């Protein structure tokens, strides 16, 4: 059961990270920086602007978009598995229990905690990756850019996770790990057992959602 929980946790984190990184690449390149890049390059589309510069600026050079996505996905996955998901679960579990509280309350607490941990962390990495080192380095400017990135990214991260990413990932987990859900349901048949980790908490949220949907 423990190994199944670990596999589920890794799959959950991987799907979340893949969707989130692609969403943020679009958000950063098209929504936040798109107009500025098109004006600077004299092009009429963001993709043309990126190609005219030889790729996306990263770590003092220009890289293809696909390579930037790979690097960010690896970094985000490591952060999510080692820090984001475990700490968010612990913070949410201090006040809420998915078997006792409405699942939306617990899920909202987990998402809020995750975003508050991951957004500053990934924004710091982005600041490191995309800082204009060719213009020199200034620590005050670096910290200001980091704060600006947090202000840009936090609303998008919260609402995209709350209303799109996490509902979709729970749907995928429900389809991929029905045996885990059934075992957890049997475990809770006689009494409420508080989840020991984030994988069990996800399953409990799915079970409670189903119970509420059928009127139990």
């Amino acid at each position: 059961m423990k190994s199944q929980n670990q596999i589920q946790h890794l799959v959950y984190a991987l799907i979340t990270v893949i969707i989130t990184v692609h969403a943020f690449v679009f958000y950063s390149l098209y929504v936040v920086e798109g107009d500025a890049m098109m004006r600077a390059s004299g092009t009429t589309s963001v993709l043309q602007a990126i190609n005219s510069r030889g790729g996306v600026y990263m770590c003092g050079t220009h890289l293809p978009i696909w390579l930037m996505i790979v690097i960010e996905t690896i970094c985000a996955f490591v952060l999510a598995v080692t820090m984001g998901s475990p700490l968010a679960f612990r913070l949410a579990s201090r006040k809420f229990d998915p078997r006792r509280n409405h699942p939306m309350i617990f899920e909202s607490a987990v998402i809020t905690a995750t975003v508050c941990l991951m957004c500053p962390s990934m924004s710091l990495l982005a600041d490191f990756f995309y800082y204009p080192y060719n213009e020199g380095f200034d620590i005050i400017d670096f910290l200001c850019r980091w704060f600006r990135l947090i202000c840009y990214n936090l609303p998008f991260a919260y609402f995209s996770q709350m209303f799109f990413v996490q509902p979709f990932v729970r749907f995928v987990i429900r389809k991929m790990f029905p045996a885990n859900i059934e075992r957890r349901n049997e475990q809770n048949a006689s009494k409420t057992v508080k989840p020991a980790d984030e994988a069990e908490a996800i399953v409990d949220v799915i079970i409670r959602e189903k119970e509420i949907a059928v009127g139990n």
Side-chain angles (χ1 to χ4, degrees), residues 157-176:
Y158 180 77
F159 288 108
S160 62
Q161 292 294 323
M162 178 69 75
F163 297 111
F164 169 64
V165 178
Q166 293 307 314
F168 175 76
V169 176
R170 289 200 305 275
F171 171 79
V172 173
I173 293 298
R174 187 184 299 116
K175 298 298 182 182
M176 291 184 64

Side-chain angles (χ1 to χ4, degrees), residues 148-159:
R148 184 180 65 178
L149 284 173
I150 294 174
C151 292
Y152 277 136
N153 294 338
L154 189 60
F156 180 75
Y158 180 77
F159 288 108

Side-chain angles (χ1 to χ4, degrees), residues 59-115:
C59 298
T61 186
H62 287 82
L63 302 176
I65 294 179
W66 67 266
L67 183 55
M68 179 192 71
I69 291 175
V70 169
I71 293 172
E72 289 200 4
T73 299
I74 293 172
C75 293
F77 180 74
V78 171
L79 275 175
V81 170
T82 59
M83 182 272 291
S85 293
L87 287 182
F89 165 74
R90 291 172 191 169
L91 290 171
S93 297
R94 288 182 179 181
K95 297 294 182 182
F96 304 106
D97 182 345
R99 295 298 298 155
R100 297 180 185 274
N101 303 117
H102 192 286
M104 191 61 189
I105 295 176
F106 185 82
E107 187 66 14
S108 297
V110 171
I111 291 172
T112 301
T114 303
V115 170

